[in-house]
Amino acid sequence: ITAAASGSGGGAISKYSSVWFNDTTGLANGSNYTFNHGLGTSDVDFKVYVSSSSSGTNPQSLTFMSQTLSVNYGVVTTDVTSSDITIQLGASGYADVNSTGTVSVETFVGKYIKVVVIG
């Protein structure tokens, strides 16, 4: 998965942003995905977002939560190199928080993810 690096400079401008991605067969809980940032360094700070649409409507930042080794939610980083970021989606999906703060567990199936390097 490759996307062009966006502008550089001060402020919160990202150094790399993938497209909203859902794989050719759709995302799957527990799957691994690699994004090519091409920044020439593994010293990066990045966030992973999830959305229900390819346009990124109401994106949520993903974190990793685990109840046991087999019950985990969100996303975990499995590798960062000078050119790639590899993540694994939680086997149990992710915690979706609505506008009133209610949390429900959602599957990644039918959703889109995006990786943004911010530093």
Side-chain angles (χ1 to χ4, degrees):
I1 305 161
T2 305
S6 61
S8 60
I13 297 173
S14 66
K15 294 182 178 184
Y16 163 83
S17 180
S18 73
V19 297
W20 283 101
F21 168 78
N22 77 342
D23 205 358
T24 56
T25 58
L27 297 178
N29 291 357
S31 292
N32 291 292
Y33 300 99
T34 299
F35 294 82
N36 178 257
H37 61 75
L39 296 173
T41 180
S42 60
D43 187 16
V44 294
D45 183 17
F46 64 94
K47 294 189 179 288
V48 180
Y49 297 91
V50 64
S51 175
S52 59
S53 74
S54 62
S55 62
T57 305
N58 299 320
Q60 290 189 44
S61 179
L62 290 171
T63 58
F64 179 74
M65 298 179 291
S66 180
Q67 292 178 340
T68 66
L69 290 177
S70 61
V71 180
N72 53 65
Y73 305 95
V75 65
V76 65
T77 306
T78 59
D79 193 26
V80 179
T81 69
S82 62
S83 60
D84 298 321
I85 297 169
T86 302
I87 61 171
Q88 182 176 12
L89 302 181
S92 301
Y94 68 98
D96 182 49
V97 183
N98 70 19
S99 61
T100 63
T102 303
V103 178
S104 62
V105 175
E106 297 290 331
T107 180
F108 282 103
V109 175
K111 302 295 193 279
Y112 295 78
I113 56 173
K114 182 176 193 170
V115 172
V116 178
V117 175
I118 55 176

